[in-house]
Amino acid sequence: MRFGVLGRLTVWRAGEPLELGTPKGRVVLAVLLARPGRPVTADALAEALWGGDPPRSAVKNVQTYVHRLRQILGDPERIVRQGGGYLVRAGRDELDATRFDDLAESARAALAAGDPVTARRVFGEALELWRGPAFEGVADIPALTTQAARLDESRLGVLEERIDVDLRLGRHGELLGELTALTMEHPFRERMWARLMLALHRCGRRTDALLAYRRLRDLLARETGLEPGVEVRDLHRTILEGDRAAADADPDDGSGRPEVPVPRMLPPALRDFSGQRAELARIGTALREERAAGAPPGLVTVSGPGGMGKTALAVQAAHRLAPNYPDGQLFAALAGARARPAEPAAVLGRFLRALGVPATAVPDDPEERAALYRGLLAERRVLVVLDDAYDEDQVAPLMPAGGSCGVIVTGRVRLGGLGGARRIELREMSEEDGLAMLRAGTGDRLASATGTEPADLVRLCARLPLALRIVGSLLVSRPHWRPADLVARLADEQHRLDALRYRDLEVRASFELSYEGLRPAVRRLFRLLGLLEAPDFPLWAAAAAADTGLTEAQDLLDDLVDVHLLDIAGTHGGQVRYCFHDLIRAYARERAEAEEAAEVREAAVVRVLGALLALTDIADRDHMGQNMFHRDAPRWRPDRVEASLPPSVPPMTLLAAERAALVAGVRQAAQLGRDELCWELAVGAHTLFETERHYDDWQECYDTAMRLAGATGNLRGRARLLISMAGLLYTRRRYGPAEEANTEAMRLFERIGDRRGHQEALSNAPFFLVPAGRLSAAVTTGSDAYGLLLADGQTAAALHAYSQVGLAHLQAGKAEEAVEVLTGIVAGAREHGIRTLVARDLYWLGQAWLALGRPARAEEAFTELTPLTADIGPSGPFYLAHARGCLRLARGEYGEARQRLLEALELARSLDDPMFETRVLVDLLDVRLYDARDPRELRAAAERAEHAVEVARGIHYPYLLAGVLEKAAALREAVGETVVARELAGEAAAVRARVG
């Protein structure tokens, strides 16, 4: 694993960047990485997140963010609790900031040992670690400001050291472009100016060196009223003396060679160019490298969708590189996205004439032109920029042969056949760069903007450079428009592309060039995929949209990715996921509405949602042992969906990647009025949302589907959704409302004569009876449901219902009966592959063995549980930590028990689960009662018991409340508070009496 703070906060696992979750979670990780190996207190983290006004739940929220980060990193030991805070464990080679420091020290050691070549290489390795300013995007947080400034200053210092080594090695000519750019970026850094002057002087450009000094002196005088420092003044004096000594030298070297034309074909660079600093640096690094004469030329390819700023980047980079290519710069627009791309022979003709070949001497044969072109460039340092290439065949004849030249090729295709190229794929700009570009292009026109309007414009332009340039042009050319007016125009998604047009600049036209170049089947898939509202999708979704096989769908997707009309969003569970740039999605939907009939569009969406339903079936069957309810909505080719899934990845893991698609799909099905499809998607997502605790998504899907089911009179849909809502309420520990929803579902199933649905609702009843303390009723109801469901072939549902019988026996003090029931359930669940039930009931089986005073048997159950916790989702680590704590408690190992139970308590709070929290608090009170070493500890434990009682009262779970009250009473008795102890014990007895 590697951690990156030299640029935007990034973590790579196995070479792939991780999605780090919420902005606040990223801040927590950034603050921890700013102090690697040292603990950061929870209060300091809260200060970083909320400044001086943290919420009351700040510490608890910090625990949640830490827990989620551990899940994202996939290694709970990466972030550990120490003292009153947290620390991140990152080796010096794993964190780019410490690796940068180590490389810089190694380079200095090599320099001290007299090895400047190695020093130069190692300094370069250190600087290549930088992807942007340190802690980019979060550096303005006070907790990070100082560290970010230190790192940025350290980078500039190392850069200056590397430049000094380059000057020592005689590479002054290669430094000119870089130093010119650096003095523009850091105009008050006199050491940079001194090195620029020295490099110019050593290149024989004394006049330019003196002019550089004058620019610095004028700048300082104007801005600060100061003169340059001693170092720069002394260097200026040396250059002046050298200039006078050479004043009488003969400028004619007597060689008699004719002057060679130096082509300057680059278009002007944009004055308001901004952003893409990392890409500019990568191009500069690649094309400033020393290459042998016989080596191939330096080559950089820049690809990306239309409007992403490929040409502007290439031209900007070429202007900066011009000093490194003193024999000229060639430029050609290859029109690769046009109907008729440029012919290589015609481009060669223009290049040859620019290189001094008379028009009458340009060969007619294309191969002869290419040979002459390469011969002319063989010993020259020329930069060739080939813009908007169509394919490799178009580019090949235009490539120089020798290592003295450099080439930049841009295109909408990736040009993977150009071997040895440094490849850059442009993505949308960062919000910061987008705002900088907008401000640079509008002058003071944003002065009237209020609130978030500038950021809104950047967001509505989807951070596309072309769109931002159009918005800037519109604001400048229409002085009567306010930024708010343009925000309102762009907020209309249906007409957004109409608004993004200014004279010959048009976002739609840019996309159209790529679209028109596609074959018909690819265009059709592009249109249909644009109808989906999911943020990303896998292969099977594309196959469903096009109603085709997986292989054909993959070929069509590859064509769209190749021309950047689709992006790779990443991989999940071994599946590649695809996504649209926001404005390209709008264009795709626009094309679908223009070229496809309404019934065709609806059929495509229904096919994709039907494929998503098929995946929920597959995941539910794998997770629960069988599908547990009647299904009527159409599924699209479940065989193809299943064939597209990696066999080694649990389907529920793959379904988790469709979380946003499920929410969007429920919404889209509702918009289409497809009530069966809508409620089945909402119910199909139930197990995922329950396992992963996505309560807000669960609620949204329920609300959307229930509105439609109510409007259409779909009683089965309403009943099924009520069962789902009962599950949500139960998981949120609202047991009374959960039972009411389940009871209403049973009534609806009876009303429509749906026996199977009624049985499923009946199987859920024990889940609500146990927390209510109605244990005898839970045993009876659970046993009856078990028999009915088993007779109907619903084994999975039967076992789930019967699991509550085991829990009811355990809470009723009948541990032997509980062991018998739970042992049978674990065996049955194993036989039918119901992994979640195996895991949960191994936990309860272990608890039953502990109740019987058999810790060795409990340990066997908990050991079997350990590898299965992933099947329970985020709750899994809690079950395991609590189980281990209970086992240590039973053995009298109080120190270890406390540690494990505190870990479980933190996990329970990170899950925001008061029932889990209460379970742990009961056991922690036992630890404190039996392990207190002096009266002060006992008193502190008694006071903590008040919090435990408060939490237990809030969940309406009599059995747990009675346990907490009993432990609290024992603690009060132990500290001599007999009256309070008697009151608590009496209340506990009253509560316990209600359980039975």
Side-chain angles (χ1 to χ4, degrees):
M1 187 173 290
R2 292 186 297 114
F3 299 84
V5 300
L6 304 182
R8 293 193 70 80
L9 176 66
T10 308
V11 180
W12 297 269
R13 185 172 61 205
E16 294 291 328
L18 299 179
E19 175 57 51
L20 295 178
T22 63
K24 282 189 167 53
R26 295 174 66 89
V27 169
V28 169
L29 182 57
V31 173
L32 293 176
L33 287 172
R35 304 176 190 174
R38 291 181 293 161
V40 182
T41 66
D43 288 341
L45 290 171
E47 175 71 14
L49 290 168
W50 294 284
D53 187 27
R56 294 177 60 187
S57 60
V59 173
K60 184 175 180 180
N61 292 344
V62 168
Q63 293 170 346
T64 300
Y65 294 133
V66 170
H67 176 67
R68 289 174 181 167
L69 284 171
R70 287 170 174 158
Q71 290 182 310
I72 290 168
L73 297 178
D75 182 358
E77 297 303 315
R78 281 288 178 178
I79 302 178
V80 297
R81 189 73 181 261
Q82 190 173 100
Y86 299 88
L87 67 80
V88 62
R89 288 175 173 167
R92 294 193 68 83
D93 280 341
E94 292 181 308
L95 177 60
D96 57 3
T98 50
R99 178 162 172 73
F100 171 78
D101 289 337
D102 292 346
L103 285 170
E105 285 303 315
S106 297
R108 293 177 189 119
L111 194 60
D115 186 359
V117 174
T118 298
R120 200 278 176 202
R121 176 179 57 79
V122 179
F123 274 136
E125 290 177 13
L127 291 166
E128 284 177 359
L129 295 172
W130 286 78
R131 298 165 288 109
F135 293 100
E136 185 176 9
V138 293
D140 58 341
I141 293 171
L144 296 170
T145 302
T146 301
Q147 177 70 346
R150 183 194 72 79
L151 287 169
D152 287 335
E153 181 60 30
S154 181
R155 171 186 167 273
L156 286 174
V158 169
L159 178 58
E160 289 171 338
E161 291 177 271
R162 195 224 75 207
I163 290 170
D164 287 342
V165 177
D166 280 335
L167 289 169
R168 180 173 170 179
L169 292 172
R171 294 176 174 174
H172 28 270
E174 299 167 25
L175 288 171
L176 291 179
E178 182 180 14
L179 284 168
T180 300
L182 287 170
T183 52
M184 294 175 66
E185 292 172 14
H186 309 282
F188 297 104
R189 204 168 182 95
E190 294 188 29
R191 292 186 67 191
M192 293 292 190
W193 285 97
R195 282 148 183 77
L196 174 60
M197 292 165 59
L198 185 59
L200 289 165
H201 178 57
R202 290 182 179 177
C203 287
R205 295 171 58 180
R206 293 186 181 88
T207 302
D208 289 337
L210 296 171
L211 288 172
Y213 175 83
R214 181 176 296 175
R215 288 197 301 274
L216 171 62
R217 186 186 63 188
D218 291 347
L219 172 70
L220 293 175
R222 184 173 63 253
E223 299 293 336
T224 69
L226 300 173
E227 283 289 318
V230 175
E231 178 186 1
V232 181
R233 292 203 308 272
D234 288 347
L235 179 58
H236 176 246
R237 188 178 304 108
T238 300
I239 295 171
L240 276 174
E241 293 170 357
D243 195 44
R244 293 191 185 104
D248 296 329
D250 186 0
D252 183 9
D253 65 359
S255 67
R257 290 178 293 186
E259 183 179 350
V260 178
V262 177
R264 307 290 187 193
M265 298 178 70
L266 294 177
L270 293 173
R271 292 185 178 183
D272 58 351
F273 182 89
S274 60
Q276 298 174 336
R277 289 169 292 181
E279 290 82 1
L280 275 174
R282 288 178 61 192
I283 296 173
T285 299
L287 297 183
R288 289 190 182 101
E289 289 180 351
E290 282 288 341
R291 291 176 297 276
L299 172 60
V300 176
T301 63
V302 181
S303 62
M308 200 56 76
K310 300 179 294 296
T311 302
L313 172 64
V315 170
Q316 189 77 13
H319 278 284
R320 295 190 180 191
L321 286 163
N324 298 89
Y325 293 90
D327 295 323
Q329 301 86 44
L330 299 171
F331 179 90
L334 301 183
R338 303 284 176 179
R340 296 185 61 183
E343 291 291 337
V347 176
L348 283 170
R350 292 198 295 275
F351 281 179
L352 289 171
R353 290 191 293 274
L355 291 166
V357 178
T360 54
V362 174
D364 293 329
D365 182 74
E367 292 186 6
E368 291 182 9
R369 288 188 180 191
L372 178 58
Y373 167 71
R374 293 193 176 108
L376 288 171
L377 297 186
E379 297 183 0
R380 300 189 196 183
R381 290 188 61 78
V382 173
L383 180 63
V384 181
V385 180
L386 304 173
D387 184 49
D388 192 18
Y390 176 71
D391 61 13
E392 292 87 345
D393 290 339
Q394 186 189 33
V395 171
L398 306 175
M399 292 290 293
S404 61
C405 293
V407 183
I408 304 175
V409 184
T410 76
R412 300 185 182 210
V413 294
R414 284 184 165 78
L415 301 171
L418 294 178
R422 302 283 183 91
R423 305 185 190 284
I424 295 174
E425 292 192 13
L426 291 190
R427 305 292 183 190
E428 60 267 22
M429 307 177 84
S430 67
E431 181 177 344
E432 179 185 359
D433 285 344
L435 285 168
M437 180 177 179
L438 195 57
R439 290 191 175 101
T442 57
D444 61 355
R445 287 290 285 119
L446 284 181
S448 61
T450 59
T452 63
E453 287 170 2
D456 289 341
L457 288 173
V458 173
R459 175 180 54 82
L460 292 168
C461 289
R463 295 178 288 172
L464 187 75
L466 175 60
L468 289 166
R469 191 164 301 284
I470 290 171
V471 164
S473 299
L474 289 170
L475 285 174
V476 170
S477 63
R478 292 161 171 75
H480 56 290
W481 281 16
R482 299 170 303 159
D485 298 328
L486 200 45
V487 168
R489 287 172 181 261
L490 294 175
D492 181 357
E493 187 174 353
Q494 188 173 357
H495 297 99
R496 187 173 302 162
L497 294 179
D498 294 326
L500 289 172
R501 181 174 57 195
Y502 176 75
R503 295 185 182 174
D504 60 341
L505 296 177
E506 186 178 3
V507 169
R508 180 188 287 111
S510 178
F511 298 156
E512 207 162 64
L513 289 173
S514 296
Y515 176 73
E516 293 298 336
L518 300 171
R519 53 195 173 98
V522 183
R523 290 203 299 268
R524 176 174 177 269
L525 178 62
F526 173 74
R527 296 192 297 268
L528 297 179
L529 289 174
L531 297 169
L532 306 182
E533 293 186 0
D536 51 45
F537 51 85
L539 169 62
W540 56 258
D547 199 15
T548 189
L550 297 173
T551 301
E552 184 178 350
Q554 186 65 71
D555 290 341
L556 300 176
L557 285 171
D558 288 343
D559 281 0
L560 289 171
V561 170
D562 195 39
V563 297
H564 290 279
L565 286 177
L566 268 186
D567 285 331
I568 304 295
T571 58
H572 183 92
Q575 277 195 318
V576 177
R577 301 192 64 81
Y578 303 86
C579 66
F580 282 107
H581 182 277
D582 286 352
L583 292 180
I584 294 178
R585 182 196 298 276
Y587 177 71
R589 185 167 298 178
E590 185 179 273
R591 297 315 314 152
E593 291 174 353
E595 299 183 43
E596 304 285 2
E599 58 270 20
V600 173
R601 300 197 301 270
E602 181 170 338
V605 172
V606 168
R607 283 195 301 273
V608 175
L609 297 184
L612 184 56
L613 267 180
L615 179 60
T616 67
D617 293 345
I618 295 165
D620 192 41
R621 190 166 58 247
D622 179 77
H623 201 69
M624 305 295 291
Q626 64 189 109
N627 295 128
M628 298 176 66
F629 66 90
H630 183 73
R631 289 159 159 77
D632 291 326
R635 271 70 173 155
W636 180 85
R637 302 300 298 266
D639 56 327
R640 291 187 186 171
V641 175
E642 191 156 17
S644 74
L645 307 181
S648 60
V649 181
M652 191 59 69
T653 299
L654 299 172
L655 184 62
E658 308 302 333
R659 172 187 161 196
L662 284 164
V663 177
V666 169
R667 191 165 50 241
Q668 209 161 3
Q671 291 166 355
L672 294 173
R674 298 272 187 153
D675 55 329
E676 290 289 336
L677 187 59
C678 184
W679 76 254
E680 286 199 26
L681 277 171
V683 171
H686 173 134
T687 305
L688 171 68
F689 292 161
E690 179 181 30
T691 303
E692 299 297 327
R693 294 177 169 254
H694 299 309
Y695 300 148
D696 291 343
D697 291 341
W698 197 347
Q699 184 74 54
E700 181 182 345
C701 287
Y702 168 83
D703 290 341
T704 301
M706 185 58 91
R707 279 195 298 270
L708 183 60
T712 58
N714 191 322
L715 296 183
R716 178 184 285 119
R718 287 177 57 198
R720 281 295 317 150
L721 288 164
L722 282 167
I723 288 181
S724 179
M725 177 48 51
L728 174 57
L729 292 167
Y730 177 88
T731 309
R732 283 180 159 169
R733 312 311 177 195
R734 297 176 59 195
Y735 301 117
E739 184 177 10
E740 292 172 8
N742 193 69
T743 302
E744 177 62 21
M746 292 176 67
R747 293 196 193 100
L748 286 175
F749 282 129
E750 283 182 329
R751 179 177 168 186
I752 62 177
D754 188 330
R755 182 177 59 86
R756 187 169 174 181
H758 183 272
Q759 287 178 351
E760 186 186 352
L762 179 64
S763 75
N764 289 337
F767 285 84
F768 314 115
L769 295 171
V770 170
R774 292 143 63 191
L775 302 181
S776 298
V779 170
T780 301
T781 304
S783 300
D784 291 347
Y786 177 73
L788 287 170
L789 290 163
L790 207 59
D792 200 39
Q794 297 298 300
T795 307
L799 289 169
H800 276 280
Y802 204 47
S803 69
Q804 296 303 293
V805 173
L807 184 55
H809 281 319
L810 180 60
Q811 294 187 3
K814 301 175 181 178
E816 289 185 358
E817 289 91 333
V819 165
E820 181 180 352
V821 171
L822 293 167
T823 300
I825 290 171
V826 169
R830 274 208 188 95
E831 180 183 350
H832 291 86
I834 314 173
R835 295 190 303 276
T836 54
L837 191 55
V838 173
R840 285 197 181 97
D841 278 27
L842 277 170
Y843 167 82
W844 286 117
L845 179 58
Q847 296 289 357
W849 282 120
L850 288 177
L852 285 173
R854 304 280 297 279
R857 296 301 301 273
E859 185 173 20
E860 292 175 9
F862 294 154
T863 301
E864 290 183 61
L865 165 67
T866 302
L868 302 176
T869 52
D871 294 319
I872 321 177
S875 303
F878 165 80
Y879 280 106
L880 192 57
H882 187 224
R884 289 170 173 170
C886 292
L887 183 62
R888 300 300 189 277
L889 176 60
R891 287 175 170 167
E893 299 169 2
Y894 298 119
E896 185 68 21
R898 178 186 285 105
Q899 182 177 342
R900 295 295 186 181
L901 290 172
L902 288 173
E903 179 185 344
L905 183 62
E906 182 178 344
L907 290 167
R909 287 171 174 169
S910 73
L911 294 169
D912 196 20
D913 193 318
M915 194 266 284
F916 282 1
E917 183 177 353
T918 304
R919 279 195 214 164
V920 183
L921 290 173
V922 171
D923 298 312
L924 273 172
L925 292 178
D926 259 344
V927 172
R928 287 161 178 154
L929 180 63
Y930 297 131
D931 193 41
R933 292 175 176 81
D934 61 49
R936 287 176 299 177
E937 287 186 16
L938 270 176
R939 180 159 298 282
E943 291 171 357
R944 290 191 187 99
E946 293 180 8
H947 169 70
V949 170
E950 181 184 350
V951 174
R953 290 190 198 283
I955 61 171
H956 308 291
Y957 200 134
Y959 172 80
L960 291 176
L961 177 58
V964 172
L965 288 167
E966 287 163 355
K967 299 300 182 341
L971 282 165
R972 291 296 179 182
E973 184 71 35
V975 297
E977 297 181 3
T978 307
V979 174
V980 177
R982 191 178 299 117
E983 290 175 356
L984 290 169
E987 184 182 356
V991 173
R992 184 74 71 184
R994 301 204 307 266
V995 178

